[in-house]
């Protein structure tokens, strides 16, 4: 009852997945990896006792591979997901499912044509498995503080990869917020507005920080700050304002240090330590669902499409000077 | 060198001012009080050893009163300030200077006509004297974290007084935010947008919470949540996002309690304990300035006018469905 | 390369281990369970797809069991560990290794007689794998804050099980502190003093809270409060005072709630959620070490003996009115 | 109704008192200062509009001085207090009342001989007026969490003045803890034990940190860490462990900063900012009591004696290797 997994793309994110699948996920066996950079692929394969496949298509075709993880560049996702669908193999694709809503829509359609119909595609929106987010959602759902009215989300990174533009901030980074807010509130985003102020001198041509207003079908006003060059550390905040109180993600910290005239807790430099538990729990749930042949609790292809549609609406709002834009169905 | 002060309006706020002026402000002597409710006036006068005047005009005219504090209903401020100007007496008027920008403009003009010109009018925007806000402003000004790009402010109250409407939330409560943000950033607000989501079932006809986007002349995007029926406690938050880090007001707390499965700190039920130090420091500065015959560090009539102009623009944005509205000069 | 594990004792702790071994530990297969209460054993076995053995001896003798977890009552540990040694099977025994140092010493001796010599016995001092404790130890070891001089530890539980006495508080509960402090400071405890004040009215005949002074070979003074009936929640604190600063465990929390005039984080009601990660990481390391046939990073039988010797010294100090007592070798 | 105050000793502490009395205490007038260093005295006098007296005796004899503050070196306190008693003038003496219990006892006796009997002497144990300590005491007194059983106090300074020895740490610094604990618990300390571990390499010949066990008449076990060369900042901690929960001083902070991979709050470098409110409130209460001719809420000469007796017992315990020593009456 072991799932033999292959990982396509073993850069920072994919190598982390590969290590977890090889070492700390029950019921999985890492059998193959591949990477655009064959040296990197070889090193990871050697470290973890897996074989190297020349490319993603070959890995998907490998008869010893039962299920596939995609952690390559965003613009390669659609082709690889399509290949996995053709091969009839479960696939966990890192977010975004594809950079545009149009491509996401095609993938959703391709999956719907499978006979018999089955959900092979899942999307790596790992925040859904983050214990603090899960606890926050339970607090919202239990109703003890009344209905939500506003949510304030903040996503900050140390620095952005070179080359991206203001739209890429949305499709590649803010996409997490666009997925998690409807999940948290149990209501889709129906309308969005893009705002911004002065940009950081460290942010190049990109508008950064950015600020979004999102409205859910249930009438909740969601605000999101995305700041990719915040410099001080990697941080996610989220506060839900309800009728008799609020609930918010706590600042994760293992230790507190008193030194140099300060009491301080450390920030991680990137998302991997912050979401390490979330990735592990997500992968375990994915492997468990493959073993059991049941739908998983991961984000579906449809979820990936919905996030992409919200991203498209935000980009349209950006281009139109910030007006409210409806999200397409 | 003692200033003999009279307080007009000794409800919750005015009585607090009267007690501080009588007991803990150096150089002040509380000599007279008055109130719409003569029983209340009598009780405060007896408690603090002051005399009762029949009304504000009589108190201002009292030859033993050197300086006047106004803490009456918003719609009475303008007449009383005008009377103090005519009497040539320094006056500290609780915010707002007047409920409309038009009235504020008249008061500014009236003061400018004094010969010789002198700043008799100050406005009780006490946050400017709150030690946490002062420390925050110093952190912004020292430049160590780079220039500010965004500010997030949140003002929450336990419950709103009955009868107000959505516009009153702005002119009476949000006015503090509209004054403090330009003070914090050293740049006036030039453009505003009013937003809102679902309102609390505890908020009556009022849109509540409300959410504002403010843009300063320096390009900073300021966001403000105002929630008058937040229920859980009275709280002010403010975070300034700068180029290499952020600074925010800390949660004020004297003690931490572990009980009933929780670690907790208590919220105050209203603004008086939260801003007690600010009020004391503000009144001391005001009395010192009167004794010394020098301009004070309090908000001026012009500051009161500016905040009212921003409030007017927000109300116009509210009526127009949230579009960005320029603030009048 | 899968380790087939049997769990002896599937009460709260053992059932948690069994679930982790069956579901989230890579490389382990839960094959058998047993319990003093056969109904409980049957339920856990059914839930997790394992078989039931009539008792611990039978489970250890089961040819399909490669390795054994002991989570039974303290006074049964020694016999079961001895049986595992005779069977030549790796065993993870929940703390304490045995209730008295004398029994621990026998087990250490029994293991030393194995030919060829091998460390089969490990002790479940899971704090060694708790990420906050691991981070704290790293902060101590990196030397950036200078050498440690004092440590303050606090262990609080909601309520104690009925029937224990003051000595049982030490051997059953404080034993965690007696193991973790030398691990944290890399120096054994050589001298101890037992103190106490008023006891809680909820603590029965037990002295509770208790307070210990421990001195390491390196001269560090360690203070420990143990309070089993603290009522408010389950909590572990630890602060290391070094020459230029201090480091302490942070309060673990997923979410923060503003409600009912308080900002609060929730405490767990017992140790299982607090140390859930530690138990998982500990079991994974144990299984990995069994698969690889290498020594594990878990506490050894010798570590179990050392903690028992410190406990014995504390009990002697208790009986002598609190004087300093040397720890036996 | 203004008290004309003279301040003897205007170093860091005395100058702070003088400034408060001149500027922010209602009902006080600073009329005279003196200092061992006449240049310092002259500068403070000029800054605050007071006259300089050649020495403490002259200042006390000054007919224009109604009441006296003593903020000189510890070993000069007794003579100055005695002079104030002879002059029949209220005096607030900085802690300690005198360095030895014997001298304190003489001062208490001298005051008792006044005819008619009157409490002229108060001691500057300002923690009694610190709002966090006051809130903590209220939480203990309201009984909601049950009776106290243990208290943990920690006092840390950045660095000690040169020249002191281990006993001076107690009489000059720990004395605050020895006064505040009985005040907090409403029960005198009857028995003490002195402990220590390794000393900091920054602490010279002094044992530092030190650790005390104190027992109150009511049976509460109080633990105190005193660390004068903690380096990282000035900090006071106190937690009271009660039957259903605990209450502790919160970390005072105005702002929180996210920068350089850390979330941090700043520590003050010494006690003056930490206890600024306490000093102001204490001085206001003292001035109010002098104006009203009523006993004040400040620590009395008897309180000063009691703290000195506890200090003496701690020094005896130190010399005897840490045994429990009873506090003399």
């Amino acid at each position: 009852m072991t799932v033999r997994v292959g990982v396509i793309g073993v850069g920072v994110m994919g190598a982390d997945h590969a290590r977890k699948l090889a070492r700390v996920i029950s019921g999985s066996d890492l059998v193959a990896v591949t990477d655009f950079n064959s040296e990197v692929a070889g090193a990871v394969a050697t470290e973890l006792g897996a074989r190297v496949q020349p490319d993603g298509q070959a890995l998907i075709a490998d008869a010893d591979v039962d299920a596939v993880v995609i952690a390559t560049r965003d613009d390669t996702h659609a082709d690889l997901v399509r290949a996995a669908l053709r091969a009839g193999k479960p696939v966990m694709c890192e977010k975004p499912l594809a950079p545009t809503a149009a491509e996401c829509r095609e993938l959703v359609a391709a999956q719907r044509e499978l006979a018999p119909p089955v959900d092979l595609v899942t999307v790596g929106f790992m925040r859904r498995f983050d214990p603090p987010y899960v606890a926050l959602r339970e607090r919202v759902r239990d109703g003890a503080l009344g209905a939500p009215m506003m949510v304030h989300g903040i996503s900050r990174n140390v620095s952005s990869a070179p080359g991206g533009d203001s739209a890429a901030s949305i499709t590649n980074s803010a996409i997490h917020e666009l997925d998690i807010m409807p999940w948290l509130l149990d209501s889709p985003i129906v309308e969005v507005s893009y705002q911004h102020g002065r940009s950081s001198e460290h942010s190049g041509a990109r508008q950064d920080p950015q600020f979004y207003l999102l409205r859910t079908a249930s009438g909740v006003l969601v605000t999101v700050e995305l700041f990719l060059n915040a410099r001080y550390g990697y941080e996610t905040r989220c506060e839900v304002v309800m009728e008799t109180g609020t609930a918010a993600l706590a600042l994760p910290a293992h230790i507190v240090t008193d030194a140099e005239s300060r009491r301080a807790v450390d920030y991680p430099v990137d998302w991997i330590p912050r979401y390490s538990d979330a990735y592990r729990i997500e992968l375990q749930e994915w492997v468990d669902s493959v073993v059991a042949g049941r739908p998983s609790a991961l984000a579906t292809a449809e979820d990936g499409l919905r996030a992409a549609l919200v991203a498209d609406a935000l980009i349209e709002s950006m281009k139109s000077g910030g007006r409210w834009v409806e999200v397409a169905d």
Side-chain angles (χ1 to χ4, degrees), chain A residues 278-313:
Chain A
Y279 284 121
R280 179 178 49 76
I281 297 168
E282 180 185 54
L283 285 170
Q284 186 68 62
E285 163 62 12
W286 180 63
V287 164
D288 288 353
S289 75
V290 173
V291 168
R294 61 161 172 80
S296 82
L298 276 72
T300 63
E302 284 77 7
D303 293 327
L305 169 58
R306 275 184 216 112
L309 290 167
V310 180
D312 276 7

Side-chain angles (χ1 to χ4, degrees), chain A residues 215-236:
Chain A
R215 197 183 314 278
T216 66
S218 56
V220 177
L221 180 63
V222 176
T223 75
V224 174
E225 180 206 307
L226 179 82
F227 188 12
L228 297 185
N229 292 282
R231 295 294 160 127
Y232 71 80
Y234 180 87
E235 188 181 15
T236 309

Side-chain angles (χ1 to χ4, degrees), chain A residues 73-75 77 94-104 123 125 164-179 194 206 210 212 226 228 304-305 307-316 318-319:
Chain A
R73 272 185 16 206
D74 296 1
D75 58 6
H77 290 184
E94 262 308 309
K95 58 87 222 167
L97 178 55
T100 67
E103 286 167 291
C104 292
V123 184
F125 284 126
D165 62 6
S166 298
S169 294
I170 296 170
T171 54
N172 189 271
S173 297
I175 197 85
H176 281 297
E177 296 283 357
L178 307 184
D179 176 69
Y194 172 97
R206 218 186 269 260
Q210 302 182 348
Y212 319 130
L226 179 82
L228 297 185
L305 169 58
L309 290 167
V310 180
D312 276 7
L314 268 176
I315 292 169
E316 188 183 332
M318 183 187 359
K319 290 177 179 163

Side-chain angles (χ1 to χ4, degrees), chain A residues 8-9 34 55-58 60 68-73 76-86 91 93 107:
Chain A
I8 307 175
T34 187
D55 59 32
Q57 299 293 344
I60 290 167
V68 177
V69 169
I70 300 172
T72 49
R73 272 185 16 206
T76 66
H77 290 184
D79 277 355
L80 292 166
V81 169
R82 217 173 278 121
L85 281 172
R86 277 194 304 263
V91 59
C93 180
L107 295 174

Side-chain angles (χ1 to χ4, degrees), chain A residues 83-298:
Chain A
L85 281 172
R86 277 194 304 263
K89 296 187 178 178
V91 59
M92 195 204 80
C93 180
E94 262 308 309
K95 58 87 222 167
L97 178 55
T100 67
E103 286 167 291
C104 292
R105 209 185 288 275
E106 281 173 41
L107 295 174
V108 166
Q111 178 169 259
R112 282 204 191 123
E113 285 162 16
L114 294 177
V118 60
D119 268 16
L120 293 178
V121 180
T122 56
V123 184
F125 284 126
M126 78 293 179
R127 290 190 186 184
R128 293 172 175 227
F129 296 90
D130 178 53
Y133 264 115
V134 169
L136 183 59
R137 191 192 196 202
E138 280 166 15
R139 188 65 50 106
V140 174
R141 292 195 156 195
D142 71 22
L145 300 178
M149 289 165 300
M150 293 198 70
V151 180
H152 302 298
I154 292 180
S155 285
R156 295 183 185 146
N157 292 47
V158 172
S159 59
S160 56
D165 62 6
S166 298
S169 294
I170 296 170
T171 54
N172 189 271
S173 297
I175 197 85
H176 281 297
E177 296 283 357
L178 307 184
D179 176 69
I180 205 71
M181 293 297 183
W183 171 88
L184 186 65
L185 296 166
D186 223 356
S187 182
I189 296 167
V190 294
E191 203 185 9
V192 304
S193 167
Y194 172 97
Q195 304 291 337
H196 70 103
R198 285 187 56 246
S199 284
S200 168
E201 62 178 30
H202 304 113
S203 296
R206 218 186 269 260
Q207 285 177 357
D208 182 52
Q210 302 182 348
F211 192 80
Y212 319 130
L213 301 168
L214 316 173
R215 197 183 314 278
T216 66
S218 56
V220 177
L221 180 63
V222 176
T223 75
V224 174
E225 180 206 307
L226 179 82
F227 188 12
L228 297 185
N229 292 282
R231 295 294 160 127
Y232 71 80
Y234 180 87
E235 188 181 15
T236 309
R237 296 188 204 167
C238 187
E239 183 190 31
V240 183
V241 183
M242 292 166 278
E243 286 185 333
T244 61
T246 82
L249 302 180
L251 178 70
H254 286 156
I255 60 170
V256 177
T257 303
D258 285 326
E260 295 172 0
S261 302
R262 282 188 286 245
R263 170 166 294 178
V265 300
D266 289 348
Y267 280 108
V269 294
D270 65 25
W271 73 98
I272 299 219
R274 169 63 186 83
Y275 286 108
S276 179
D277 280 344
Y279 284 121
R280 179 178 49 76
I281 297 168
E282 180 185 54
L283 285 170
Q284 186 68 62
E285 163 62 12
W286 180 63
V287 164
D288 288 353
S289 75
V290 173
V291 168
R294 61 161 172 80
S296 82
L298 276 72

